[in-house]
Amino acid sequence: MAPVLDPSSTYWFTDADEFADASRDKTGAGYVYSRWANPTVDAFEAAVADLEGTEGAEAFASGMAAITSICLASCKSGDRIVAARQLYGGSHELLASILPRYGITAELFDVHDFDGIEAVLAGAKLLLCETIGNPRIEVADLPTLANLAQNAGVPLVVDNTFASPALCRPVELGATLSVHSATKFIGGHHDLLGGIACGDFEALRPVAELNREFGATLSPFNAWLALRGLVTLPLRVERACASALLVAEYLSGHARIDRVYYPGLDDDPSKPLADKLLGGQGGGTLGFDVAGGREAAARFQEALRLTRPAASLGGVHSLIVHAASITHTQLNADQLASIGIAEGFCRMSVGLEEPHDIIDDLRNALDETA
Ligand SMILES: *Cc1c(COP(=O)(O)O)cnc(C)c1O
């Protein structure tokens, strides 16, 4: 009934030939060494591949390990990646600062700038974007991007973390790989780090081979926890979407909130794409601008009692991050504006608490700090 947790790092053989064959093959029928393959990790990979509708999946120690492995497996020195500007901070850092040290460069475009992307795509090794992108919770037009990528013969890699396979299956929309931070919705309980890439065996093979030597592989225990998280994924996502919509609607009508970013709201620019690609759902994450700027938003965040100021998203607890005081502290108001973030911008991940308790908490914190 419950999946078997097999924490073994190695597997013993009685037959020398069998040991030699298995070691050469690394991921064949028998297990040899858990950096190469492990039964609990395999079970997790099979479950996520099933949810994403892909031939296979490859698990990693974290979402960043998955994204880094994909970039390194696809590129060598002198190669180029094209990416949407609406990227997770770690991915942005990887493309902007780390990969250039190894001769791999990236060109970033607004995710809706199809002309700009098309103009530079030929000869690039990857097109990278997020289904629902940071910071303004924008939905990417995946079929259009997949079309551009296919015409240029470039693999499209979609970070599907914010949507989860419960809302979107990017490979069915034309992506080559769909990648997740399993730390977020897939795990769902704030108790594991993990990553996973999903796609055809052919597309996954170089990524898996690279990571087998790099060793950023998922631990069996984290795979086991993530398998447990997956059982409730559709229910958790359904609840998070329903509650996030209520929260977004509440905040939209509040005098101290300048603007709400949520693809589930009728007047949100991403609503048509959410209708087309996410089954009309807006996801569990929303953004909003607290009036009064940096100080007001920081005080508001401190006054919350239920929603916790913490990094991460997609779990059972509601979490909030005030960008200007947590993730983008070095930027002044003008610099923040240039990347589309207001000084009072907060990103909130709506958890599984009673939605009216979440809203009461927001109301109290806004009133207390008015
Ligand atoms: C958290 C996150 C990552 C990084 O995943 P880790 O598991 O923290 O390494 C990548 N992309 C997105 C969209 C994320 O939210």
PDB file of all heavy atoms in Angstrom, residues 127-165:
ATOM      1  N   LEU A 127      15.499  26.982 -25.040  1.00  0.00           N
ATOM      2  CA  LEU A 127      14.590  28.084 -24.730  1.00  0.00           C
ATOM      3  C   LEU A 127      13.974  27.731 -23.378  1.00  0.00           C
ATOM      4  O   LEU A 127      13.404  26.647 -23.216  1.00  0.00           O
ATOM      5  CB  LEU A 127      13.508  28.231 -25.799  1.00  0.00           C
ATOM      6  CG  LEU A 127      12.406  29.260 -25.521  1.00  0.00           C
ATOM      7  CD1 LEU A 127      12.986  30.665 -25.327  1.00  0.00           C
ATOM      8  CD2 LEU A 127      11.374  29.283 -26.656  1.00  0.00           C
ATOM      9  N   LEU A 128      14.145  28.614 -22.403  1.00  0.00           N
ATOM     10  CA  LEU A 128      13.716  28.335 -21.032  1.00  0.00           C
ATOM     11  C   LEU A 128      12.668  29.346 -20.574  1.00  0.00           C
ATOM     12  O   LEU A 128      12.855  30.550 -20.739  1.00  0.00           O
ATOM     13  CB  LEU A 128      14.950  28.411 -20.110  1.00  0.00           C
ATOM     14  CG  LEU A 128      14.749  28.195 -18.619  1.00  0.00           C
ATOM     15  CD1 LEU A 128      14.313  26.765 -18.318  1.00  0.00           C
ATOM     16  CD2 LEU A 128      16.046  28.489 -17.863  1.00  0.00           C
ATOM     17  N   CYS A 129      11.562  28.839 -20.022  1.00  0.00           N
ATOM     18  CA  CYS A 129      10.565  29.753 -19.450  1.00  0.00           C
ATOM     19  C   CYS A 129       9.823  29.050 -18.320  1.00  0.00           C
ATOM     20  O   CYS A 129      10.049  27.874 -18.065  1.00  0.00           O
ATOM     21  CB  CYS A 129       9.582  30.227 -20.512  1.00  0.00           C
ATOM     22  SG  CYS A 129       8.398  28.957 -20.991  1.00  0.00           S
ATOM     23  N   GLU A 130       8.965  29.796 -17.622  1.00  0.00           N
ATOM     24  CA  GLU A 130       8.159  29.234 -16.538  1.00  0.00           C
ATOM     25  C   GLU A 130       6.683  29.307 -16.916  1.00  0.00           C
ATOM     26  O   GLU A 130       6.237  30.320 -17.444  1.00  0.00           O
ATOM     27  CB  GLU A 130       8.421  30.005 -15.236  1.00  0.00           C
ATOM     28  CG  GLU A 130       9.872  29.905 -14.826  1.00  0.00           C
ATOM     29  CD  GLU A 130      10.228  30.656 -13.539  1.00  0.00           C
ATOM     30  OE1 GLU A 130       9.342  31.251 -12.910  1.00  0.00           O
ATOM     31  OE2 GLU A 130      11.421  30.623 -13.184  1.00  0.00           O
ATOM     32  N   THR A 131       5.924  28.251 -16.615  1.00  0.00           N
ATOM     33  CA  THR A 131       4.488  28.230 -16.921  1.00  0.00           C
ATOM     34  C   THR A 131       3.820  29.465 -16.320  1.00  0.00           C
ATOM     35  O   THR A 131       3.074  30.178 -16.992  1.00  0.00           O
ATOM     36  CB  THR A 131       3.813  26.969 -16.329  1.00  0.00           C
ATOM     37  OG1 THR A 131       4.579  25.836 -16.686  1.00  0.00           O
ATOM     38  CG2 THR A 131       2.397  26.829 -16.832  1.00  0.00           C
ATOM     39  N   ILE A 132       4.070  29.690 -15.032  1.00  0.00           N
ATOM     40  CA  ILE A 132       3.589  30.887 -14.340  1.00  0.00           C
ATOM     41  C   ILE A 132       4.844  31.543 -13.785  1.00  0.00           C
ATOM     42  O   ILE A 132       5.531  30.961 -12.949  1.00  0.00           O
ATOM     43  CB  ILE A 132       2.618  30.550 -13.196  1.00  0.00           C
ATOM     44  CG1 ILE A 132       1.438  29.708 -13.714  1.00  0.00           C
ATOM     45  CG2 ILE A 132       2.124  31.827 -12.521  1.00  0.00           C
ATOM     46  CD1 ILE A 132       0.470  29.252 -12.614  1.00  0.00           C
ATOM     47  N   GLY A 133       5.181  32.724 -14.302  1.00  0.00           N
ATOM     48  CA  GLY A 133       6.489  33.305 -14.009  1.00  0.00           C
ATOM     49  C   GLY A 133       6.482  34.331 -12.898  1.00  0.00           C
ATOM     50  O   GLY A 133       5.481  35.009 -12.642  1.00  0.00           O
ATOM     51  N   ASN A 134       7.632  34.430 -12.238  1.00  0.00           N
ATOM     52  CA  ASN A 134       7.918  35.473 -11.256  1.00  0.00           C
ATOM     53  C   ASN A 134       8.200  36.789 -11.979  1.00  0.00           C
ATOM     54  O   ASN A 134       8.666  36.753 -13.097  1.00  0.00           O
ATOM     55  CB  ASN A 134       9.196  35.098 -10.496  1.00  0.00           C
ATOM     56  CG  ASN A 134       8.923  34.227  -9.303  1.00  0.00           C
ATOM     57  OD1 ASN A 134       8.249  34.628  -8.386  1.00  0.00           O
ATOM     58  ND2 ASN A 134       9.461  33.027  -9.330  1.00  0.00           N
ATOM     59  N   PRO A 135       8.104  37.923 -11.361  1.00  0.00           N
ATOM     60  CA  PRO A 135       7.470  38.097 -10.058  1.00  0.00           C
ATOM     61  C   PRO A 135       5.969  38.353 -10.167  1.00  0.00           C
ATOM     62  O   PRO A 135       5.269  38.232  -9.180  1.00  0.00           O
ATOM     63  CB  PRO A 135       8.178  39.349  -9.520  1.00  0.00           C
ATOM     64  CG  PRO A 135       8.492  40.153 -10.740  1.00  0.00           C
ATOM     65  CD  PRO A 135       8.725  39.151 -11.854  1.00  0.00           C
ATOM     66  N   ARG A 136       5.494  38.706 -11.392  1.00  0.00           N
ATOM     67  CA  ARG A 136       4.122  39.198 -11.464  1.00  0.00           C
ATOM     68  C   ARG A 136       3.096  38.124 -11.808  1.00  0.00           C
ATOM     69  O   ARG A 136       2.005  38.426 -12.293  1.00  0.00           O
ATOM     70  CB  ARG A 136       4.054  40.373 -12.440  1.00  0.00           C
ATOM     71  CG  ARG A 136       4.686  41.605 -11.802  1.00  0.00           C
ATOM     72  CD  ARG A 136       4.306  42.847 -12.506  1.00  0.00           C
ATOM     73  NE  ARG A 136       5.140  43.054 -13.683  1.00  0.00           N
ATOM     74  CZ  ARG A 136       5.033  44.093 -14.485  1.00  0.00           C
ATOM     75  NH1 ARG A 136       4.133  45.009 -14.246  1.00  0.00           N
ATOM     76  NH2 ARG A 136       5.821  44.208 -15.511  1.00  0.00           N
ATOM     77  N   ILE A 137       3.465  36.859 -11.555  1.00  0.00           N
ATOM     78  CA  ILE A 137       2.505  35.760 -11.675  1.00  0.00           C
ATOM     79  C   ILE A 137       1.869  35.786 -13.079  1.00  0.00           C
ATOM     80  O   ILE A 137       0.645  35.802 -13.220  1.00  0.00           O
ATOM     81  CB  ILE A 137       1.430  35.830 -10.546  1.00  0.00           C
ATOM     82  CG1 ILE A 137       1.992  36.417  -9.254  1.00  0.00           C
ATOM     83  CG2 ILE A 137       0.802  34.472 -10.312  1.00  0.00           C
ATOM     84  CD1 ILE A 137       3.045  35.611  -8.548  1.00  0.00           C
ATOM     85  N   GLU A 138       2.751  35.798 -14.095  1.00  0.00           N
ATOM     86  CA  GLU A 138       2.288  35.862 -15.480  1.00  0.00           C
ATOM     87  C   GLU A 138       2.299  34.478 -16.109  1.00  0.00           C
ATOM     88  O   GLU A 138       3.271  33.743 -15.969  1.00  0.00           O
ATOM     89  CB  GLU A 138       3.229  36.750 -16.302  1.00  0.00           C
ATOM     90  CG  GLU A 138       2.978  38.232 -16.146  1.00  0.00           C
ATOM     91  CD  GLU A 138       4.093  39.027 -16.795  1.00  0.00           C
ATOM     92  OE1 GLU A 138       3.972  39.333 -17.987  1.00  0.00           O
ATOM     93  OE2 GLU A 138       5.084  39.326 -16.120  1.00  0.00           O
ATOM     94  N   VAL A 139       1.260  34.157 -16.839  1.00  0.00           N
ATOM     95  CA  VAL A 139       1.182  32.860 -17.521  1.00  0.00           C
ATOM     96  C   VAL A 139       1.865  32.985 -18.884  1.00  0.00           C
ATOM     97  O   VAL A 139       1.632  33.946 -19.622  1.00  0.00           O
ATOM     98  CB  VAL A 139      -0.285  32.412 -17.692  1.00  0.00           C
ATOM     99  CG1 VAL A 139      -0.364  31.065 -18.388  1.00  0.00           C
ATOM    100  CG2 VAL A 139      -0.982  32.354 -16.328  1.00  0.00           C
ATOM    101  N   ALA A 140       2.717  32.007 -19.207  1.00  0.00           N
ATOM    102  CA  ALA A 140       3.403  32.004 -20.503  1.00  0.00           C
ATOM    103  C   ALA A 140       2.523  31.338 -21.551  1.00  0.00           C
ATOM    104  O   ALA A 140       1.799  30.387 -21.244  1.00  0.00           O
ATOM    105  CB  ALA A 140       4.729  31.256 -20.383  1.00  0.00           C
ATOM    106  N   ASP A 141       2.610  31.821 -22.782  1.00  0.00           N
ATOM    107  CA  ASP A 141       1.864  31.220 -23.889  1.00  0.00           C
ATOM    108  C   ASP A 141       2.677  30.030 -24.407  1.00  0.00           C
ATOM    109  O   ASP A 141       3.401  30.129 -25.406  1.00  0.00           O
ATOM    110  CB  ASP A 141       1.641  32.278 -24.985  1.00  0.00           C
ATOM    111  CG  ASP A 141       0.714  31.758 -26.076  1.00  0.00           C
ATOM    112  OD1 ASP A 141       0.513  30.529 -26.148  1.00  0.00           O
ATOM    113  OD2 ASP A 141       0.213  32.588 -26.849  1.00  0.00           O
ATOM    114  N   LEU A 142       2.563  28.911 -23.712  1.00  0.00           N
ATOM    115  CA  LEU A 142       3.420  27.756 -24.013  1.00  0.00           C
ATOM    116  C   LEU A 142       3.260  27.216 -25.434  1.00  0.00           C
ATOM    117  O   LEU A 142       4.270  26.917 -26.078  1.00  0.00           O
ATOM    118  CB  LEU A 142       3.204  26.642 -22.979  1.00  0.00           C
ATOM    119  CG  LEU A 142       3.591  26.995 -21.528  1.00  0.00           C
ATOM    120  CD1 LEU A 142       3.384  25.794 -20.611  1.00  0.00           C
ATOM    121  CD2 LEU A 142       5.037  27.464 -21.441  1.00  0.00           C
ATOM    122  N   PRO A 143       2.038  27.088 -25.983  1.00  0.00           N
ATOM    123  CA  PRO A 143       1.952  26.575 -27.353  1.00  0.00           C
ATOM    124  C   PRO A 143       2.677  27.465 -28.367  1.00  0.00           C
ATOM    125  O   PRO A 143       3.335  26.968 -29.276  1.00  0.00           O
ATOM    126  CB  PRO A 143       0.443  26.538 -27.623  1.00  0.00           C
ATOM    127  CG  PRO A 143      -0.178  26.433 -26.271  1.00  0.00           C
ATOM    128  CD  PRO A 143       0.709  27.236 -25.360  1.00  0.00           C
ATOM    129  N   THR A 144       2.570  28.791 -28.194  1.00  0.00           N
ATOM    130  CA  THR A 144       3.253  29.705 -29.121  1.00  0.00           C
ATOM    131  C   THR A 144       4.764  29.583 -28.971  1.00  0.00           C
ATOM    132  O   THR A 144       5.493  29.523 -29.973  1.00  0.00           O
ATOM    133  CB  THR A 144       2.794  31.164 -28.864  1.00  0.00           C
ATOM    134  OG1 THR A 144       1.386  31.217 -29.079  1.00  0.00           O
ATOM    135  CG2 THR A 144       3.488  32.145 -29.796  1.00  0.00           C
ATOM    136  N   LEU A 145       5.252  29.520 -27.722  1.00  0.00           N
ATOM    137  CA  LEU A 145       6.699  29.374 -27.494  1.00  0.00           C
ATOM    138  C   LEU A 145       7.192  28.025 -28.025  1.00  0.00           C
ATOM    139  O   LEU A 145       8.275  27.935 -28.614  1.00  0.00           O
ATOM    140  CB  LEU A 145       7.023  29.517 -26.004  1.00  0.00           C
ATOM    141  CG  LEU A 145       6.802  30.925 -25.431  1.00  0.00           C
ATOM    142  CD1 LEU A 145       6.865  30.909 -23.909  1.00  0.00           C
ATOM    143  CD2 LEU A 145       7.841  31.903 -25.986  1.00  0.00           C
ATOM    144  N   ALA A 146       6.382  26.967 -27.854  1.00  0.00           N
ATOM    145  CA  ALA A 146       6.767  25.641 -28.351  1.00  0.00           C
ATOM    146  C   ALA A 146       6.874  25.661 -29.868  1.00  0.00           C
ATOM    147  O   ALA A 146       7.770  25.047 -30.456  1.00  0.00           O
ATOM    148  CB  ALA A 146       5.741  24.601 -27.901  1.00  0.00           C
ATOM    149  N   ASN A 147       5.970  26.399 -30.492  1.00  0.00           N
ATOM    150  CA  ASN A 147       5.991  26.530 -31.945  1.00  0.00           C
ATOM    151  C   ASN A 147       7.260  27.233 -32.426  1.00  0.00           C
ATOM    152  O   ASN A 147       7.924  26.772 -33.363  1.00  0.00           O
ATOM    153  CB  ASN A 147       4.746  27.337 -32.345  1.00  0.00           C
ATOM    154  CG  ASN A 147       4.267  26.957 -33.714  1.00  0.00           C
ATOM    155  OD1 ASN A 147       4.653  25.904 -34.233  1.00  0.00           O
ATOM    156  ND2 ASN A 147       3.462  27.806 -34.303  1.00  0.00           N
ATOM    157  N   LEU A 148       7.598  28.334 -31.767  1.00  0.00           N
ATOM    158  CA  LEU A 148       8.836  29.059 -32.115  1.00  0.00           C
ATOM    159  C   LEU A 148      10.040  28.138 -31.946  1.00  0.00           C
ATOM    160  O   LEU A 148      10.930  28.090 -32.793  1.00  0.00           O
ATOM    161  CB  LEU A 148       9.026  30.284 -31.219  1.00  0.00           C
ATOM    162  CG  LEU A 148       8.029  31.435 -31.337  1.00  0.00           C
ATOM    163  CD1 LEU A 148       8.409  32.555 -30.376  1.00  0.00           C
ATOM    164  CD2 LEU A 148       7.975  31.953 -32.768  1.00  0.00           C
ATOM    165  N   ALA A 149      10.053  27.404 -30.820  1.00  0.00           N
ATOM    166  CA  ALA A 149      11.191  26.532 -30.517  1.00  0.00           C
ATOM    167  C   ALA A 149      11.296  25.426 -31.565  1.00  0.00           C
ATOM    168  O   ALA A 149      12.389  25.131 -32.061  1.00  0.00           O
ATOM    169  CB  ALA A 149      11.035  25.940 -29.119  1.00  0.00           C
ATOM    170  N   GLN A 150      10.143  24.832 -31.902  1.00  0.00           N
ATOM    171  CA  GLN A 150      10.158  23.748 -32.892  1.00  0.00           C
ATOM    172  C   GLN A 150      10.658  24.248 -34.245  1.00  0.00           C
ATOM    173  O   GLN A 150      11.473  23.596 -34.895  1.00  0.00           O
ATOM    174  CB  GLN A 150       8.763  23.140 -33.047  1.00  0.00           C
ATOM    175  CG  GLN A 150       8.637  21.803 -32.311  1.00  0.00           C
ATOM    176  CD  GLN A 150       7.233  21.538 -31.803  1.00  0.00           C
ATOM    177  OE1 GLN A 150       6.266  22.010 -32.398  1.00  0.00           O
ATOM    178  NE2 GLN A 150       7.115  20.811 -30.713  1.00  0.00           N
ATOM    179  N   ASN A 151      10.192  25.424 -34.663  1.00  0.00           N
ATOM    180  CA  ASN A 151      10.630  25.975 -35.956  1.00  0.00           C
ATOM    181  C   ASN A 151      12.129  26.204 -35.989  1.00  0.00           C
ATOM    182  O   ASN A 151      12.757  26.090 -37.035  1.00  0.00           O
ATOM    183  CB  ASN A 151       9.900  27.292 -36.254  1.00  0.00           C
ATOM    184  CG  ASN A 151       8.425  27.050 -36.540  1.00  0.00           C
ATOM    185  OD1 ASN A 151       8.024  25.928 -36.844  1.00  0.00           O
ATOM    186  ND2 ASN A 151       7.620  28.092 -36.418  1.00  0.00           N
ATOM    187  N   ALA A 152      12.696  26.567 -34.822  1.00  0.00           N
ATOM    188  CA  ALA A 152      14.137  26.845 -34.773  1.00  0.00           C
ATOM    189  C   ALA A 152      14.942  25.590 -34.411  1.00  0.00           C
ATOM    190  O   ALA A 152      16.172  25.638 -34.362  1.00  0.00           O
ATOM    191  CB  ALA A 152      14.411  27.955 -33.758  1.00  0.00           C
ATOM    192  N   GLY A 153      14.257  24.490 -34.155  1.00  0.00           N
ATOM    193  CA  GLY A 153      14.953  23.258 -33.769  1.00  0.00           C
ATOM    194  C   GLY A 153      15.625  23.350 -32.406  1.00  0.00           C
ATOM    195  O   GLY A 153      16.665  22.748 -32.165  1.00  0.00           O
ATOM    196  N   VAL A 154      15.007  24.120 -31.511  1.00  0.00           N
ATOM    197  CA  VAL A 154      15.585  24.330 -30.171  1.00  0.00           C
ATOM    198  C   VAL A 154      14.644  23.707 -29.134  1.00  0.00           C
ATOM    199  O   VAL A 154      13.438  23.920 -29.195  1.00  0.00           O
ATOM    200  CB  VAL A 154      15.733  25.853 -29.890  1.00  0.00           C
ATOM    201  CG1 VAL A 154      16.218  26.108 -28.477  1.00  0.00           C
ATOM    202  CG2 VAL A 154      16.666  26.485 -30.906  1.00  0.00           C
ATOM    203  N   PRO A 155      15.173  22.927 -28.173  1.00  0.00           N
ATOM    204  CA  PRO A 155      14.288  22.366 -27.149  1.00  0.00           C
ATOM    205  C   PRO A 155      13.704  23.456 -26.235  1.00  0.00           C
ATOM    206  O   PRO A 155      14.428  24.355 -25.815  1.00  0.00           O
ATOM    207  CB  PRO A 155      15.206  21.442 -26.324  1.00  0.00           C
ATOM    208  CG  PRO A 155      16.528  21.424 -27.004  1.00  0.00           C
ATOM    209  CD  PRO A 155      16.577  22.538 -27.995  1.00  0.00           C
ATOM    210  N   LEU A 156      12.402  23.356 -25.972  1.00  0.00           N
ATOM    211  CA  LEU A 156      11.764  24.262 -25.009  1.00  0.00           C
ATOM    212  C   LEU A 156      11.726  23.560 -23.653  1.00  0.00           C
ATOM    213  O   LEU A 156      11.200  22.448 -23.533  1.00  0.00           O
ATOM    214  CB  LEU A 156      10.333  24.599 -25.456  1.00  0.00           C
ATOM    215  CG  LEU A 156       9.473  25.354 -24.431  1.00  0.00           C
ATOM    216  CD1 LEU A 156      10.036  26.749 -24.148  1.00  0.00           C
ATOM    217  CD2 LEU A 156       8.025  25.458 -24.906  1.00  0.00           C
ATOM    218  N   VAL A 157      12.305  24.208 -22.642  1.00  0.00           N
ATOM    219  CA  VAL A 157      12.290  23.674 -21.283  1.00  0.00           C
ATOM    220  C   VAL A 157      11.393  24.582 -20.435  1.00  0.00           C
ATOM    221  O   VAL A 157      11.610  25.791 -20.385  1.00  0.00           O
ATOM    222  CB  VAL A 157      13.712  23.613 -20.690  1.00  0.00           C
ATOM    223  CG1 VAL A 157      13.671  23.166 -19.233  1.00  0.00           C
ATOM    224  CG2 VAL A 157      14.580  22.661 -21.518  1.00  0.00           C
ATOM    225  N   VAL A 158      10.385  23.991 -19.823  1.00  0.00           N
ATOM    226  CA  VAL A 158       9.412  24.779 -19.064  1.00  0.00           C
ATOM    227  C   VAL A 158       9.515  24.433 -17.580  1.00  0.00           C
ATOM    228  O   VAL A 158       9.380  23.269 -17.190  1.00  0.00           O
ATOM    229  CB  VAL A 158       7.980  24.508 -19.563  1.00  0.00           C
ATOM    230  CG1 VAL A 158       6.967  25.270 -18.712  1.00  0.00           C
ATOM    231  CG2 VAL A 158       7.839  24.903 -21.024  1.00  0.00           C
ATOM    232  N   ASP A 159       9.779  25.443 -16.769  1.00  0.00           N
ATOM    233  CA  ASP A 159       9.731  25.280 -15.320  1.00  0.00           C
ATOM    234  C   ASP A 159       8.260  25.356 -14.913  1.00  0.00           C
ATOM    235  O   ASP A 159       7.647  26.423 -14.951  1.00  0.00           O
ATOM    236  CB  ASP A 159      10.567  26.385 -14.657  1.00  0.00           C
ATOM    237  CG  ASP A 159      10.616  26.251 -13.139  1.00  0.00           C
ATOM    238  OD1 ASP A 159       9.671  25.681 -12.558  1.00  0.00           O
ATOM    239  OD2 ASP A 159      11.583  26.748 -12.536  1.00  0.00           O
ATOM    240  N   ASN A 160       7.704  24.204 -14.559  1.00  0.00           N
ATOM    241  CA  ASN A 160       6.262  24.081 -14.300  1.00  0.00           C
ATOM    242  C   ASN A 160       5.942  24.117 -12.803  1.00  0.00           C
ATOM    243  O   ASN A 160       4.861  23.720 -12.375  1.00  0.00           O
ATOM    244  CB  ASN A 160       5.792  22.749 -14.931  1.00  0.00           C
ATOM    245  CG  ASN A 160       4.298  22.663 -15.123  1.00  0.00           C
ATOM    246  OD1 ASN A 160       3.628  23.667 -15.358  1.00  0.00           O
ATOM    247  ND2 ASN A 160       3.754  21.464 -15.024  1.00  0.00           N
ATOM    248  N   THR A 161       6.902  24.600 -12.002  1.00  0.00           N
ATOM    249  CA  THR A 161       6.772  24.564 -10.539  1.00  0.00           C
ATOM    250  C   THR A 161       5.504  25.236 -10.027  1.00  0.00           C
ATOM    251  O   THR A 161       4.782  24.679  -9.198  1.00  0.00           O
ATOM    252  CB  THR A 161       7.998  25.234  -9.883  1.00  0.00           C
ATOM    253  OG1 THR A 161       9.176  24.553 -10.303  1.00  0.00           O
ATOM    254  CG2 THR A 161       7.908  25.222  -8.368  1.00  0.00           C
ATOM    255  N   PHE A 162       5.240  26.471 -10.497  1.00  0.00           N
ATOM    256  CA  PHE A 162       4.109  27.243  -9.964  1.00  0.00           C
ATOM    257  C   PHE A 162       2.756  26.634 -10.352  1.00  0.00           C
ATOM    258  O   PHE A 162       1.767  26.865  -9.665  1.00  0.00           O
ATOM    259  CB  PHE A 162       4.148  28.693 -10.479  1.00  0.00           C
ATOM    260  CG  PHE A 162       4.944  29.645  -9.641  1.00  0.00           C
ATOM    261  CD1 PHE A 162       6.226  29.319  -9.215  1.00  0.00           C
ATOM    262  CD2 PHE A 162       4.428  30.883  -9.285  1.00  0.00           C
ATOM    263  CE1 PHE A 162       6.974  30.204  -8.450  1.00  0.00           C
ATOM    264  CE2 PHE A 162       5.166  31.773  -8.514  1.00  0.00           C
ATOM    265  CZ  PHE A 162       6.434  31.443  -8.096  1.00  0.00           C
ATOM    266  N   ALA A 163       2.720  25.898 -11.464  1.00  0.00           N
ATOM    267  CA  ALA A 163       1.441  25.340 -11.912  1.00  0.00           C
ATOM    268  C   ALA A 163       1.224  23.944 -11.333  1.00  0.00           C
ATOM    269  O   ALA A 163       0.109  23.591 -10.949  1.00  0.00           O
ATOM    270  CB  ALA A 163       1.402  25.281 -13.437  1.00  0.00           C
ATOM    271  N   SER A 164       2.306  23.157 -11.304  1.00  0.00           N
ATOM    272  CA  SER A 164       2.253  21.740 -10.923  1.00  0.00           C
ATOM    273  C   SER A 164       1.554  20.962 -12.035  1.00  0.00           C
ATOM    274  O   SER A 164       0.764  21.529 -12.801  1.00  0.00           O
ATOM    275  CB  SER A 164       1.541  21.504  -9.579  1.00  0.00           C
ATOM    276  OG  SER A 164       0.170  21.201  -9.778  1.00  0.00           O
ATOM    277  N   PRO A 165       1.805  19.642 -12.110  1.00  0.00           N
ATOM    278  CA  PRO A 165       1.137  18.854 -13.153  1.00  0.00           C
ATOM    279  C   PRO A 165      -0.378  18.787 -12.971  1.00  0.00           C
ATOM    280  O   PRO A 165      -1.091  18.364 -13.872  1.00  0.00           O
ATOM    281  CB  PRO A 165       1.786  17.465 -13.031  1.00  0.00           C
ATOM    282  CG  PRO A 165       2.496  17.445 -11.729  1.00  0.00           C
ATOM    283  CD  PRO A 165       2.792  18.856 -11.358  1.00  0.00           C
TER     284      PRO A 165
END
